[in-house]
Amino acid sequence: MSEKATLKIDGKSFEFDVITGSENEKCIDIQKLRSETGYITMDPGLGNTGSCYSSITYVDGAKGILKYRGYPIEELAEKTVFTETAYLILYGELPTETQLQEFSYRIREQAPIHTNLEHHFSGFPQNAPPMAILSAMLNLVSCFHPEVLEVPTTGAEFDRTAALLMSKVRTIAAFAYRMASGKPINHPNPNLTYCGNFLHMMFSDPYHQYEVSPVIDKALNLFLILHADHEQNCSTSTVRVVGSSRANLFSSVAAGVCALWGPLHGGANAAVINMLGAIKASGRPLTYYLSRAKDKDDPFRLMGFGHRIYKNFDPRSLILKKQVHDVLQALNLEDGLLEIAMELEEATLQDDYFISRNLYPNVDFYSGILLRALGIPLNMYTVMFAIGRMPGWIANWQELHDHKLRISRPRQIFTGETERPFIPLSAR
Ligand code: CMC
């Protein structure tokens, strides 16, 4: 017999199905709640609301487990390159060598952007935030590829659209940086890897071809793999909400970019570096910042700490912390911010406020220090997150359509004025 949950309202009992996920997660199916009882549920921030079924990513926040399509993040980070993991997220299986080659070829083929798009970059002010440019340009790209405005109906259409988006996001990101720096753009080089090509478009100069160091290539692959998906986070949910109106994939991910931009989400990686820099420059003791973070009247929070789901540790943060040490050592670099970051982490581990609220470093805490070591400029950090998250956004958007989900349209409890007598303008 299937499991049921009983709800009692005014002495009357209502039964709802209990749904069990493949990792034994439980959920009460309340789809008929309103029609049967007249009630709705209230869950601001949607912390207890399942909005879809998904077979892409699994997170167990209590145990610090993250898996893409059943594969632990630790193994994918160590043993795959980004395109391999992206393929897994998009198609559900790890690629064979031939499949990976074909996938990489499709991405390579889509790397150039239409020349008529190039002059749009110079229309932005030089200090325009690259996340604004990225979001705008993703919508613009779709104008040059009208075929992507439809939901892909064949495998070949999906193959092309997914490769197009994964490739264009990388080109747009690099061009945005070149334009903002007043430097000539570098066209993509089809002989380079996904990460190598990005680094070339970012850092090559007319008289200096950027040499991709294997250490940097590996670290960038790892960064992108760790960011590739994270189930129903704010930006992915945004992509799904926008996509549920049947808006096209490009405008849906452009909205995802905007959601990611915020400092409580992807913008935290740059905010962490700003915070660590400010701590260093001020010379104040860490206790000053811990007190501020605990003070409810102070908007200051420890950036890179806390997570809606992880209540023990964020496995991505552990991988990144080790990677930061390895990369700094391999590149013979030192970073004073790393020392402050580790002292801060140590201090929070002794502090009851952080212990009792399960506030631990999240993915954004060490990722900025890694990006600094790779030479990525601060204003590009959240763009790097967006490049990494692209396969997750695409896969979630496609899954939404595969499951033929209804338009997202939450309810509310109205707390405003009820009926009011209208007063003409002359009498107000
Ligand atoms: N510093 C100080 N206090 C915090 C912090 C923090 N970073 N995060 C949460 N708290 C406190 C919060 O004030 C609340 O305290 P109380 O119970 O006394 O009112 C309690 O911890 C629970 O916090 P919440 O805001 O209800 O938790 P949430 O699940 O709504 O928010 C979060 C999660 C990640 C937005 C939040 O922890 C935060 O703002 N962290 C800093 C920003 C950050 O690092 N964001 C990156 C998130 S991970 C990657 C990503 O999504 O992009």
Short mmCIF file of all heavy atoms in Angstrom, two decimals, residues 90-145:
data_model
loop_
_atom_site.label_atom_id
_atom_site.label_comp_id
_atom_site.label_asym_id
_atom_site.label_seq_id
_atom_site.Cartn_x
_atom_site.Cartn_y
_atom_site.Cartn_z
N LEU A 90 24.05 16.95 -19.34
CA LEU A 90 23.10 17.20 -20.43
C LEU A 90 22.42 15.92 -20.92
O LEU A 90 21.24 15.92 -21.25
CB LEU A 90 23.82 17.85 -21.62
CG LEU A 90 24.30 19.29 -21.41
CD1 LEU A 90 25.23 19.71 -22.54
CD2 LEU A 90 23.12 20.24 -21.33
N TYR A 91 23.19 14.83 -20.98
CA TYR A 91 22.67 13.62 -21.63
C TYR A 91 22.42 12.45 -20.66
O TYR A 91 21.89 11.43 -21.06
CB TYR A 91 23.62 13.16 -22.74
CG TYR A 91 23.72 14.17 -23.87
CD1 TYR A 91 24.78 15.06 -23.94
CD2 TYR A 91 22.74 14.24 -24.85
CE1 TYR A 91 24.87 15.99 -24.96
CE2 TYR A 91 22.81 15.15 -25.88
CZ TYR A 91 23.89 16.05 -25.93
OH TYR A 91 23.96 16.97 -26.94
N GLY A 92 22.86 12.59 -19.41
CA GLY A 92 22.56 11.55 -18.42
C GLY A 92 23.58 10.44 -18.33
O GLY A 92 23.51 9.63 -17.42
N GLU A 93 24.52 10.36 -19.27
CA GLU A 93 25.53 9.31 -19.25
C GLU A 93 26.90 9.94 -19.49
O GLU A 93 27.01 10.95 -20.20
CB GLU A 93 25.29 8.30 -20.40
CG GLU A 93 23.97 7.57 -20.34
CD GLU A 93 23.86 6.62 -19.14
OE1 GLU A 93 24.90 6.22 -18.59
OE2 GLU A 93 22.72 6.33 -18.74
N LEU A 94 27.93 9.30 -18.95
CA LEU A 94 29.29 9.75 -19.29
C LEU A 94 29.53 9.43 -20.77
O LEU A 94 29.10 8.38 -21.26
CB LEU A 94 30.31 9.01 -18.43
CG LEU A 94 30.45 9.50 -16.98
CD1 LEU A 94 31.24 8.49 -16.16
CD2 LEU A 94 31.08 10.88 -16.92
N PRO A 95 30.20 10.32 -21.49
CA PRO A 95 30.38 10.08 -22.93
C PRO A 95 31.44 9.02 -23.22
O PRO A 95 32.37 8.85 -22.44
CB PRO A 95 30.85 11.45 -23.44
CG PRO A 95 31.54 12.07 -22.27
CD PRO A 95 30.81 11.59 -21.05
N THR A 96 31.27 8.33 -24.34
CA THR A 96 32.37 7.51 -24.84
C THR A 96 33.39 8.49 -25.45
O THR A 96 33.09 9.68 -25.62
CB THR A 96 31.89 6.56 -25.95
OG1 THR A 96 31.40 7.37 -27.03
CG2 THR A 96 30.78 5.64 -25.45
N GLU A 97 34.54 7.97 -25.84
CA GLU A 97 35.54 8.85 -26.44
C GLU A 97 34.99 9.54 -27.69
O GLU A 97 35.18 10.74 -27.90
CB GLU A 97 36.79 8.06 -26.78
CG GLU A 97 37.93 8.40 -25.84
CD GLU A 97 39.16 7.58 -26.09
OE1 GLU A 97 39.73 7.69 -27.19
OE2 GLU A 97 39.53 6.80 -25.19
N THR A 98 34.28 8.75 -28.52
CA THR A 98 33.73 9.31 -29.76
C THR A 98 32.68 10.37 -29.44
O THR A 98 32.65 11.44 -30.05
CB THR A 98 33.09 8.18 -30.62
OG1 THR A 98 34.03 7.13 -30.72
CG2 THR A 98 32.66 8.66 -31.98
N GLN A 99 31.81 10.06 -28.48
CA GLN A 99 30.76 11.04 -28.12
C GLN A 99 31.38 12.33 -27.61
O GLN A 99 30.91 13.42 -27.93
CB GLN A 99 29.83 10.44 -27.06
CG GLN A 99 28.88 9.40 -27.62
CD GLN A 99 28.19 8.60 -26.52
OE1 GLN A 99 28.73 8.41 -25.43
NE2 GLN A 99 26.98 8.14 -26.82
N LEU A 100 32.45 12.20 -26.83
CA LEU A 100 33.09 13.41 -26.29
C LEU A 100 33.74 14.22 -27.41
O LEU A 100 33.65 15.45 -27.43
CB LEU A 100 34.12 13.03 -25.22
CG LEU A 100 34.78 14.21 -24.50
CD1 LEU A 100 33.74 15.09 -23.81
CD2 LEU A 100 35.80 13.72 -23.46
N GLN A 101 34.35 13.50 -28.35
CA GLN A 101 34.98 14.20 -29.48
C GLN A 101 33.92 14.95 -30.30
O GLN A 101 34.11 16.10 -30.69
CB GLN A 101 35.67 13.20 -30.40
CG GLN A 101 37.12 12.95 -30.01
CD GLN A 101 37.70 11.76 -30.78
OE1 GLN A 101 37.15 11.33 -31.78
NE2 GLN A 101 38.81 11.25 -30.28
N GLU A 102 32.78 14.28 -30.55
CA GLU A 102 31.73 14.91 -31.35
C GLU A 102 31.14 16.12 -30.61
O GLU A 102 30.88 17.16 -31.20
CB GLU A 102 30.63 13.89 -31.66
CG GLU A 102 31.07 12.88 -32.71
CD GLU A 102 30.09 11.71 -32.85
OE1 GLU A 102 29.08 11.66 -32.11
OE2 GLU A 102 30.37 10.85 -33.70
N PHE A 103 30.96 15.97 -29.30
CA PHE A 103 30.43 17.05 -28.47
C PHE A 103 31.40 18.24 -28.49
O PHE A 103 30.99 19.39 -28.71
CB PHE A 103 30.25 16.51 -27.04
CG PHE A 103 29.67 17.49 -26.05
CD1 PHE A 103 28.48 18.15 -26.31
CD2 PHE A 103 30.30 17.73 -24.82
CE1 PHE A 103 27.93 19.03 -25.37
CE2 PHE A 103 29.77 18.60 -23.89
CZ PHE A 103 28.59 19.25 -24.17
N SER A 104 32.69 17.93 -28.32
CA SER A 104 33.71 19.00 -28.32
C SER A 104 33.76 19.66 -29.69
O SER A 104 33.95 20.88 -29.79
CB SER A 104 35.08 18.43 -27.97
OG SER A 104 35.03 17.79 -26.73
N TYR A 105 33.58 18.87 -30.74
CA TYR A 105 33.60 19.44 -32.09
C TYR A 105 32.43 20.41 -32.26
O TYR A 105 32.59 21.52 -32.78
CB TYR A 105 33.54 18.32 -33.14
CG TYR A 105 33.48 18.87 -34.54
CD1 TYR A 105 34.63 19.32 -35.18
CD2 TYR A 105 32.25 18.98 -35.21
CE1 TYR A 105 34.58 19.87 -36.46
CE2 TYR A 105 32.19 19.52 -36.48
CZ TYR A 105 33.35 19.96 -37.11
OH TYR A 105 33.29 20.51 -38.36
N ARG A 106 31.24 19.99 -31.79
CA ARG A 106 30.06 20.87 -31.93
C ARG A 106 30.30 22.18 -31.16
O ARG A 106 29.94 23.26 -31.64
CB ARG A 106 28.81 20.18 -31.38
CG ARG A 106 28.27 19.07 -32.26
CD ARG A 106 26.84 18.71 -31.88
NE ARG A 106 26.69 18.14 -30.55
CZ ARG A 106 26.86 16.85 -30.25
NH1 ARG A 106 27.18 15.99 -31.20
NH2 ARG A 106 26.70 16.41 -29.02
N ILE A 107 30.90 22.09 -29.98
CA ILE A 107 31.17 23.29 -29.18
C ILE A 107 32.17 24.19 -29.92
O ILE A 107 31.98 25.41 -30.03
CB ILE A 107 31.69 22.90 -27.78
CG1 ILE A 107 30.57 22.24 -26.98
CG2 ILE A 107 32.24 24.11 -27.03
CD1 ILE A 107 30.98 21.72 -25.62
N ARG A 108 33.22 23.56 -30.45
CA ARG A 108 34.26 24.31 -31.17
C ARG A 108 33.67 25.04 -32.37
O ARG A 108 33.96 26.20 -32.63
CB ARG A 108 35.32 23.32 -31.66
CG ARG A 108 36.73 23.79 -31.40
CD ARG A 108 37.71 22.70 -31.72
NE ARG A 108 37.68 21.62 -30.77
CZ ARG A 108 37.89 20.34 -31.06
NH1 ARG A 108 38.12 19.96 -32.30
NH2 ARG A 108 37.87 19.42 -30.13
N GLU A 109 32.80 24.32 -33.09
CA GLU A 109 32.19 24.86 -34.31
C GLU A 109 31.35 26.11 -34.01
O GLU A 109 31.22 27.01 -34.83
CB GLU A 109 31.27 23.76 -34.84
CG GLU A 109 30.86 23.85 -36.26
CD GLU A 109 29.92 22.68 -36.58
OE1 GLU A 109 29.17 22.19 -35.68
OE2 GLU A 109 29.92 22.25 -37.71
N GLN A 110 30.77 26.14 -32.78
CA GLN A 110 29.86 27.24 -32.43
C GLN A 110 30.57 28.39 -31.72
O GLN A 110 29.92 29.35 -31.31
CB GLN A 110 28.76 26.71 -31.49
CG GLN A 110 27.84 25.69 -32.10
CD GLN A 110 26.97 26.27 -33.19
OE1 GLN A 110 26.88 27.50 -33.34
NE2 GLN A 110 26.35 25.42 -33.99
N ALA A 111 31.89 28.32 -31.58
CA ALA A 111 32.59 29.32 -30.77
C ALA A 111 32.54 30.74 -31.33
O ALA A 111 32.36 31.70 -30.59
CB ALA A 111 34.03 28.88 -30.53
N PRO A 112 32.68 30.93 -32.67
CA PRO A 112 32.64 32.32 -33.16
C PRO A 112 31.24 32.91 -32.98
O PRO A 112 30.25 32.18 -33.03
CB PRO A 112 32.97 32.19 -34.65
CG PRO A 112 33.53 30.81 -34.82
CD PRO A 112 32.93 29.97 -33.75
N ILE A 113 31.18 34.20 -32.78
CA ILE A 113 29.85 34.84 -32.78
C ILE A 113 29.73 35.66 -34.06
O ILE A 113 30.73 36.05 -34.66
CB ILE A 113 29.59 35.71 -31.52
CG1 ILE A 113 30.67 36.78 -31.35
CG2 ILE A 113 29.46 34.86 -30.28
CD1 ILE A 113 30.34 37.77 -30.27
N HIS A 114 28.50 35.89 -34.50
CA HIS A 114 28.25 36.63 -35.73
C HIS A 114 28.98 37.97 -35.66
O HIS A 114 28.92 38.65 -34.63
CB HIS A 114 26.74 36.83 -35.86
CG HIS A 114 26.30 37.21 -37.24
ND1 HIS A 114 26.54 38.45 -37.78
CD2 HIS A 114 25.66 36.51 -38.19
CE1 HIS A 114 26.05 38.51 -39.00
NE2 HIS A 114 25.52 37.33 -39.28
N THR A 115 29.63 38.37 -36.76
CA THR A 115 30.42 39.61 -36.71
C THR A 115 29.54 40.83 -36.40
O THR A 115 30.00 41.78 -35.78
CB THR A 115 31.18 39.86 -38.03
OG1 THR A 115 30.27 39.63 -39.10
CG2 THR A 115 32.38 38.95 -38.17
N ASN A 116 28.26 40.77 -36.79
CA ASN A 116 27.38 41.90 -36.48
C ASN A 116 27.13 42.06 -34.99
O ASN A 116 26.62 43.08 -34.54
CB ASN A 116 26.02 41.73 -37.18
CG ASN A 116 26.12 41.96 -38.66
OD1 ASN A 116 27.19 42.28 -39.16
ND2 ASN A 116 25.02 41.76 -39.37
N LEU A 117 27.46 41.01 -34.24
CA LEU A 117 27.27 41.10 -32.78
C LEU A 117 28.44 41.81 -32.10
O LEU A 117 28.29 42.34 -31.00
CB LEU A 117 27.19 39.69 -32.19
CG LEU A 117 25.82 39.05 -32.06
CD1 LEU A 117 25.95 37.58 -31.72
CD2 LEU A 117 25.02 39.76 -30.98
N GLU A 118 29.58 41.83 -32.79
CA GLU A 118 30.79 42.32 -32.11
C GLU A 118 30.68 43.79 -31.71
O GLU A 118 31.11 44.17 -30.63
CB GLU A 118 32.01 42.11 -33.01
CG GLU A 118 32.46 40.66 -32.98
CD GLU A 118 33.64 40.39 -33.90
OE1 GLU A 118 34.30 41.35 -34.33
OE2 GLU A 118 33.87 39.20 -34.19
N HIS A 119 30.06 44.60 -32.60
CA HIS A 119 30.04 46.04 -32.27
C HIS A 119 29.13 46.34 -31.08
O HIS A 119 29.25 47.38 -30.46
CB HIS A 119 29.64 46.89 -33.50
CG HIS A 119 28.18 46.82 -33.82
ND1 HIS A 119 27.67 45.89 -34.69
CD2 HIS A 119 27.14 47.55 -33.38
CE1 HIS A 119 26.36 46.07 -34.78
NE2 HIS A 119 26.02 47.06 -34.00
N HIS A 120 28.24 45.40 -30.72
CA HIS A 120 27.38 45.64 -29.55
C HIS A 120 28.22 45.76 -28.28
O HIS A 120 27.87 46.50 -27.37
CB HIS A 120 26.38 44.49 -29.38
CG HIS A 120 25.28 44.53 -30.38
ND1 HIS A 120 24.21 45.38 -30.26
CD2 HIS A 120 25.10 43.85 -31.53
CE1 HIS A 120 23.40 45.21 -31.30
NE2 HIS A 120 23.92 44.29 -32.08
N PHE A 121 29.33 45.03 -28.23
CA PHE A 121 30.17 45.07 -27.02
C PHE A 121 30.69 46.47 -26.77
O PHE A 121 30.79 46.92 -25.63
CB PHE A 121 31.34 44.10 -27.16
CG PHE A 121 30.95 42.65 -27.01
CD1 PHE A 121 30.68 41.87 -28.11
CD2 PHE A 121 30.86 42.08 -25.76
CE1 PHE A 121 30.32 40.54 -27.97
CE2 PHE A 121 30.51 40.75 -25.60
CZ PHE A 121 30.23 39.98 -26.72
N SER A 122 31.04 47.18 -27.86
CA SER A 122 31.62 48.51 -27.66
C SER A 122 30.55 49.54 -27.30
O SER A 122 30.86 50.67 -26.96
CB SER A 122 32.42 48.95 -28.88
OG SER A 122 31.64 48.76 -30.03
N GLY A 123 29.27 49.14 -27.36
CA GLY A 123 28.19 50.06 -26.96
C GLY A 123 28.03 50.14 -25.46
O GLY A 123 27.34 51.03 -24.95
N PHE A 124 28.64 49.22 -24.72
CA PHE A 124 28.52 49.26 -23.26
C PHE A 124 29.56 50.21 -22.69
O PHE A 124 30.68 50.31 -23.22
CB PHE A 124 28.78 47.87 -22.66
CG PHE A 124 27.69 46.86 -22.95
CD1 PHE A 124 27.82 45.95 -23.99
CD2 PHE A 124 26.54 46.83 -22.18
CE1 PHE A 124 26.83 45.02 -24.26
CE2 PHE A 124 25.53 45.89 -22.45
CZ PHE A 124 25.69 44.99 -23.49
N PRO A 125 29.24 50.92 -21.60
CA PRO A 125 30.29 51.73 -20.97
C PRO A 125 31.42 50.81 -20.49
O PRO A 125 31.18 49.63 -20.23
CB PRO A 125 29.58 52.37 -19.76
CG PRO A 125 28.24 51.78 -19.67
CD PRO A 125 27.97 50.97 -20.89
N GLN A 126 32.63 51.36 -20.39
CA GLN A 126 33.78 50.49 -20.08
C GLN A 126 33.67 49.80 -18.73
O GLN A 126 34.19 48.71 -18.54
CB GLN A 126 35.08 51.28 -20.16
CG GLN A 126 35.89 50.76 -21.33
CD GLN A 126 37.32 51.21 -21.32
OE1 GLN A 126 37.69 52.15 -20.63
NE2 GLN A 126 38.15 50.53 -22.09
N ASN A 127 32.95 50.46 -17.80
CA ASN A 127 32.84 49.84 -16.48
C ASN A 127 31.55 49.04 -16.31
O ASN A 127 31.13 48.74 -15.20
CB ASN A 127 32.97 50.89 -15.37
CG ASN A 127 31.88 51.95 -15.50
OD1 ASN A 127 31.10 51.93 -16.46
ND2 ASN A 127 31.84 52.87 -14.55
N ALA A 128 30.91 48.69 -17.44
CA ALA A 128 29.66 47.92 -17.36
C ALA A 128 29.94 46.57 -16.69
O ALA A 128 30.93 45.91 -17.02
CB ALA A 128 29.09 47.69 -18.75
N PRO A 129 29.07 46.15 -15.75
CA PRO A 129 29.31 44.85 -15.10
C PRO A 129 29.20 43.73 -16.13
O PRO A 129 28.21 43.66 -16.88
CB PRO A 129 28.17 44.75 -14.08
CG PRO A 129 27.62 46.12 -13.95
CD PRO A 129 27.90 46.84 -15.23
N PRO A 130 30.21 42.85 -16.22
CA PRO A 130 30.15 41.77 -17.21
C PRO A 130 28.92 40.88 -17.09
O PRO A 130 28.49 40.28 -18.07
CB PRO A 130 31.43 40.97 -16.94
CG PRO A 130 32.35 41.94 -16.29
CD PRO A 130 31.50 42.88 -15.50
N MET A 131 28.31 40.78 -15.90
CA MET A 131 27.08 39.97 -15.79
C MET A 131 25.94 40.62 -16.56
O MET A 131 25.09 39.93 -17.13
CB MET A 131 26.69 39.77 -14.32
CG MET A 131 27.57 38.79 -13.59
SD MET A 131 27.49 37.11 -14.25
CE MET A 131 26.11 36.43 -13.33
N ALA A 132 25.91 41.97 -16.58
CA ALA A 132 24.87 42.67 -17.35
C ALA A 132 25.11 42.43 -18.84
O ALA A 132 24.17 42.16 -19.61
CB ALA A 132 24.90 44.17 -17.04
N ILE A 133 26.37 42.49 -19.24
CA ILE A 133 26.71 42.26 -20.65
C ILE A 133 26.34 40.83 -21.05
O ILE A 133 25.74 40.59 -22.09
CB ILE A 133 28.22 42.52 -20.90
CG1 ILE A 133 28.57 43.97 -20.54
CG2 ILE A 133 28.60 42.20 -22.34
CD1 ILE A 133 30.04 44.31 -20.70
N LEU A 134 26.69 39.89 -20.18
CA LEU A 134 26.43 38.48 -20.49
C LEU A 134 24.94 38.23 -20.68
O LEU A 134 24.52 37.60 -21.66
CB LEU A 134 26.99 37.59 -19.37
CG LEU A 134 26.81 36.09 -19.55
CD1 LEU A 134 27.54 35.61 -20.81
CD2 LEU A 134 27.34 35.32 -18.34
N SER A 135 24.15 38.74 -19.76
CA SER A 135 22.71 38.51 -19.84
C SER A 135 22.14 39.14 -21.12
O SER A 135 21.37 38.51 -21.86
CB SER A 135 22.03 39.10 -18.60
OG SER A 135 20.66 38.96 -18.70
N ALA A 136 22.55 40.38 -21.40
CA ALA A 136 22.04 41.08 -22.59
C ALA A 136 22.48 40.36 -23.86
O ALA A 136 21.68 40.16 -24.79
CB ALA A 136 22.56 42.52 -22.59
N MET A 137 23.75 39.95 -23.90
CA MET A 137 24.28 39.35 -25.13
C MET A 137 23.69 37.97 -25.38
O MET A 137 23.55 37.54 -26.53
CB MET A 137 25.81 39.27 -25.08
CG MET A 137 26.50 40.61 -25.10
SD MET A 137 26.08 41.68 -26.49
CE MET A 137 26.90 40.86 -27.83
N LEU A 138 23.32 37.25 -24.33
CA LEU A 138 22.70 35.93 -24.54
C LEU A 138 21.37 36.09 -25.27
O LEU A 138 21.03 35.33 -26.17
CB LEU A 138 22.50 35.20 -23.21
CG LEU A 138 23.76 34.57 -22.63
CD1 LEU A 138 23.53 34.11 -21.18
CD2 LEU A 138 24.24 33.40 -23.48
N ASN A 139 20.62 37.13 -24.88
CA ASN A 139 19.37 37.40 -25.60
C ASN A 139 19.64 37.83 -27.03
O ASN A 139 18.94 37.43 -27.96
CB ASN A 139 18.57 38.49 -24.88
CG ASN A 139 17.55 37.91 -23.93
OD1 ASN A 139 16.87 36.95 -24.28
ND2 ASN A 139 17.45 38.47 -22.75
N LEU A 140 20.70 38.65 -27.19
CA LEU A 140 21.04 39.13 -28.53
C LEU A 140 21.46 37.99 -29.46
O LEU A 140 21.08 37.97 -30.63
CB LEU A 140 22.18 40.14 -28.43
CG LEU A 140 21.81 41.60 -28.50
CD1 LEU A 140 23.04 42.47 -28.35
CD2 LEU A 140 21.12 41.92 -29.83
N VAL A 141 22.24 37.06 -28.93
CA VAL A 141 22.70 35.93 -29.76
C VAL A 141 21.50 35.20 -30.36
O VAL A 141 21.53 34.78 -31.52
CB VAL A 141 23.56 34.95 -28.92
CG1 VAL A 141 23.76 33.63 -29.64
CG2 VAL A 141 24.92 35.56 -28.63
N SER A 142 20.45 35.07 -29.55
CA SER A 142 19.29 34.31 -30.05
C SER A 142 18.67 34.98 -31.27
O SER A 142 18.07 34.31 -32.11
CB SER A 142 18.25 34.12 -28.94
OG SER A 142 17.63 35.35 -28.65
N CYS A 143 18.84 36.31 -31.39
CA CYS A 143 18.28 37.02 -32.56
C CYS A 143 18.99 36.57 -33.84
O CYS A 143 18.44 36.68 -34.93
CB CYS A 143 18.45 38.53 -32.43
SG CYS A 143 17.78 39.20 -30.93
N PHE A 144 20.23 36.08 -33.68
CA PHE A 144 20.99 35.65 -34.85
C PHE A 144 20.81 34.16 -35.13
O PHE A 144 21.35 33.64 -36.09
CB PHE A 144 22.48 35.97 -34.65
CG PHE A 144 22.76 37.45 -34.73
CD1 PHE A 144 22.50 38.29 -33.66
CD2 PHE A 144 23.26 38.02 -35.91
CE1 PHE A 144 22.73 39.66 -33.74
CE2 PHE A 144 23.49 39.38 -35.98
CZ PHE A 144 23.23 40.21 -34.90
N HIS A 145 20.09 33.50 -34.26
CA HIS A 145 19.84 32.06 -34.44
C HIS A 145 18.36 31.79 -34.18
O HIS A 145 17.99 31.18 -33.17
CB HIS A 145 20.69 31.24 -33.45
CG HIS A 145 22.15 31.40 -33.67
ND1 HIS A 145 22.87 30.65 -34.57
CD2 HIS A 145 23.03 32.28 -33.13
CE1 HIS A 145 24.13 31.03 -34.56
NE2 HIS A 145 24.26 32.03 -33.70
#
